[in-house]
Amino acid sequence: MRKRSTKSCGASMEPTFVRLAVRRGLKKGRSDAASDEALGRSRGGFSTKLHLLCDSQGNPLHACLSPGQRHESQFLEELLDGCEVCGDERDEAIWPVFLAGDKGYRADWIDEYLIEEGILPVIPSKEDEDRSARFVEFDREKYRRRNIIERLIGWLKECRRVQTRFEKLATNFLGMVKMAFIQRYLKLMTY
């Protein structure tokens, strides 16, 4: 048996740790232990993708996790469905007018889905794609505001517990991400 270290080094991303955790989960009769962890193999090893949604001021609205090998576009509906922001005086949900995303979210079905929801997609075309064939015009000026989500991700990486992912289970890790969101909102309320 390996000797456990008492240092905080982010060992939850170590491949040997993950393999042992999956075996342990299978012994208990659970076949979905790997999906509980939201870990997947990608080019760089084991990883988790964090999908974020924020408003135009960079305030986080919703987050969801996926294994590293899964494509971003598969989690767009889950990301939008999980977010509901109510207005001040009325109970109607506030819905975005535009949604900016990177090229990983570029697909015809995503454009159609967003337009059906009443959202104009601001997603650039891929290099090998005919830009004139798209039925949605790409707005470069609105896309430049996508740096807002990048700044949110940069801020989130400053939260050590989120950056290093000490938690084994995806629900615990997502809980830490949401605790960071709460911390951000509390700081905004004090200003």
Side-chain angles (χ1 to χ4, degrees):
M1 180 157 218
R2 273 189 164 168
K3 186 177 177 184
R4 289 189 165 193
S5 173
T6 58
K7 295 180 182 176
S8 297
C9 63
S12 63
M13 294 300 284
E14 186 178 317
T16 56
F17 177 80
V18 173
R19 282 191 208 114
L20 290 173
V22 172
R23 284 189 201 131
R24 220 177 275 136
L26 290 175
K27 281 183 184 176
K28 292 180 183 177
R30 293 179 49 202
S31 62
D32 62 341
S35 65
D36 286 348
E37 297 168 10
L39 286 171
R41 281 219 182 261
S42 62
R43 293 181 192 178
F46 283 104
S47 64
T48 299
K49 288 184 183 176
L50 178 64
H51 307 274
L52 293 173
L53 184 68
C54 75
D55 64 4
S56 60
Q57 281 78 39
N59 300 318
L61 299 175
H62 188 62
C64 64
L65 298 174
S66 68
Q69 80 273 12
R70 300 286 301 272
H71 198 269
E72 291 90 356
S73 63
Q74 297 174 349
F75 294 90
L76 179 69
E77 289 182 51
E78 180 183 342
L79 191 65
L80 288 175
D81 290 341
C83 177
E84 186 173 317
V85 179
C86 295
D88 294 335
E89 298 172 3
R90 54 193 186 280
D91 289 329
E92 295 178 17
I94 299 172
W95 201 242
V97 178
F98 302 99
L99 185 75
D102 59 6
K103 291 180 182 179
Y105 289 99
R106 172 64 200 112
D108 289 334
W109 73 267
I110 289 178
D111 286 348
E112 293 168 5
Y113 172 74
L114 290 175
I115 288 174
E116 285 175 10
E117 295 291 326
I119 304 170
L120 186 67
V122 183
I123 303 169
S125 298
K126 296 179 182 174
E127 297 291 327
D128 60 345
E129 188 178 19
D130 183 18
R131 289 171 175 81
S132 61
R134 283 185 72 181
F135 59 92
V136 177
E137 182 90 21
F138 176 65
D139 190 347
R140 187 174 298 273
E141 291 300 316
K142 287 189 176 80
Y143 185 72
R144 287 185 179 163
R145 297 205 53 207
R146 198 178 76 83
N147 70 60
I148 294 169
I149 189 76
E150 299 298 336
R151 290 188 305 219
L152 176 63
I153 292 169
W155 168 81
L156 204 53
K157 286 181 179 180
E158 291 176 10
C159 303
R160 184 171 177 257
R161 184 105 187 205
V162 174
Q163 178 191 12
T164 54
R165 188 181 171 166
F166 292 122
E167 284 73 28
K168 176 183 163 188
L169 297 179
T171 54
N172 296 345
F173 179 59
L174 192 58
M176 287 298 141
V177 170
K178 292 186 179 186
M179 290 279 286
F181 290 175
I182 292 169
Q183 179 185 14
R184 183 177 175 110
Y185 277 114
L186 289 174
K187 283 184 181 178
L188 287 172
M189 291 173 58
T190 59
Y191 292 129

